[in-house]
Amino acid sequence: MNTQIIVRSAAGVFIGTLVASFILTILISSISLIDLVLSPAQYADIFIGVFVFSLIVTFIVTLALTLKSLKALILIVVFSFLYIPMLMLVIYSFNSSRLVTVWASWSTKWYGELFNNSALIKAVILSLSIAAASATVAVVLGTLASFTIVRFRRFRGANLFSFMMTAPLVMPDVITGLALLLLFVAMGQAIGWPQDRGALTIWLAHVTFCTAYVTVVVSARLRELDKSLEEAAMDLGANPLKVFFIITIPMIIPALVSGWLLAFTLSLDDLVIASFVAGPGATTLPMLIFSKVRLGVDPQINALATIILLIVGIIGFVSWLLIRRAERRHLKELRRH
């Protein structure tokens, strides 16, 4: 790259970083701009910190431009933005201090206390059970809805059905939770079920909004699917049900896995809707964490979050391997035909 362009880019990055970091420092601190201007010597450490930070950013960008590795720099910045908060969470889960913002020394005592906390373990098991059950049922319902929308698009009310299936995606959680609460109360008064709200009502509520997300994911896969294999199987005498299970399902496995993971994550993360439909004996993990955080961050939460990150990371990696294997198998089948 031309040296003049590198110099101009470095100057622009330095000035932009200097101004942005200076404004951000003022916004996140209790120091006003007037105090900084009138008493620069008193806040010299702030000026030095902003200047050094700008120099570091400028040096990294200039080095990337010089070595022509701008793509690597972008990846580093994006990955840092995504994963540095998680890395800080993992590091502070090994902090021996009860104050989560004050580092004392390395320790695993919060992991030991975590496994002795029966309320927290009970909430984790409940949340994982509801998330797995909700994701499984949502995949079944979402797949059937997607197949109806994509394969039987020419029926009366098809557009309305498609819109109604995806409407929960843009519905605020507060409205969804309130509507489900009123429904369960009305059903309890009319037919006597459900008598009490708890894990079952939370599961039903999660299935309702998770199905919409699965429908979108599976529909996208079905639309790009080659129908010639299904038509060939039917020409050879296979009935539609056999074609669906033998031909269609194997070809949309990656979408099913992605939809299950998405629904599992949404259910595990839900706080608002679960707060409306949960009973006194059913407390999910987000509800427990939110109630604890209002009284101060518990170090056991950091340890628990680290374990969840590890579990989700393993599930995501295994799913990625399965999806990649299915994609390769699908490409091989396409090349054969």
Side-chain angles (χ1 to χ4, degrees), residues 129-193:
S129 303
I130 291 176
S134 302
T136 303
V137 177
V139 166
V140 175
L141 296 178
T143 303
L144 295 176
S146 304
F147 196 81
T148 304
I149 292 172
V150 177
R151 290 291 187 261
F152 306 104
R153 61 181 66 179
R154 294 180 181 178
F155 63 90
R156 182 175 297 178
N159 292 331
L160 178 63
F161 178 72
S162 178
F163 169 75
M164 294 296 289
M165 282 304 303
T166 55
L169 295 177
V170 295
M171 193 72 68
D173 288 348
V174 175
I175 296 177
T176 304
L178 181 60
L180 289 168
L181 172 63
L182 295 176
L183 173 65
F184 291 140
V185 171
M187 290 175 61
Q189 294 175 351
I191 61 175
W193 183 88

Side-chain angles (χ1 to χ4, degrees), residues 26 36 46 63 70 132 164 166 190 236 238 241 246 276 279 291-292 304 327:
I26 295 175
L36 285 174
I46 293 179
L63 185 63
L70 191 59
M164 294 296 289
T166 55
L236 293 174
L241 189 63
I246 303 299
F276 277 96
S291 62
K292 284 181 173 293
L304 175 63
E327 290 285 352

Side-chain angles (χ1 to χ4, degrees), residues 36-55:
L36 285 174
V37 174
L38 296 179
S39 306
Q42 183 180 354
Y43 302 105
D45 53 340
I46 293 179
F47 289 102
I48 294 174
V50 169
F51 183 76
V52 172
F53 176 74
S54 303
L55 279 181

Side-chain angles (χ1 to χ4, degrees), residues 196-218:
D196 299 315
R197 293 185 299 278
L200 180 61
T201 53
I202 298 174
W203 171 70
L204 290 173
H206 285 187
V207 169
T208 56
F209 71 87
C210 288
T211 300
Y213 288 91
V214 174
T215 302
V216 173
V217 174
V218 178

Side-chain angles (χ1 to χ4, degrees), residues 13-29 31 33 36 43-59:
V13 170
F14 178 76
I15 295 173
T17 307
L18 190 69
V19 174
S21 56
F22 188 73
I23 294 174
L24 185 62
T25 303
I26 295 175
L27 291 176
I28 64 176
S29 65
I31 305 170
L33 178 61
L36 285 174
Y43 302 105
D45 53 340
I46 293 179
F47 289 102
I48 294 174
V50 169
F51 183 76
V52 172
F53 176 74
S54 303
L55 279 181
I56 293 174
V57 173
T58 306
F59 173 74

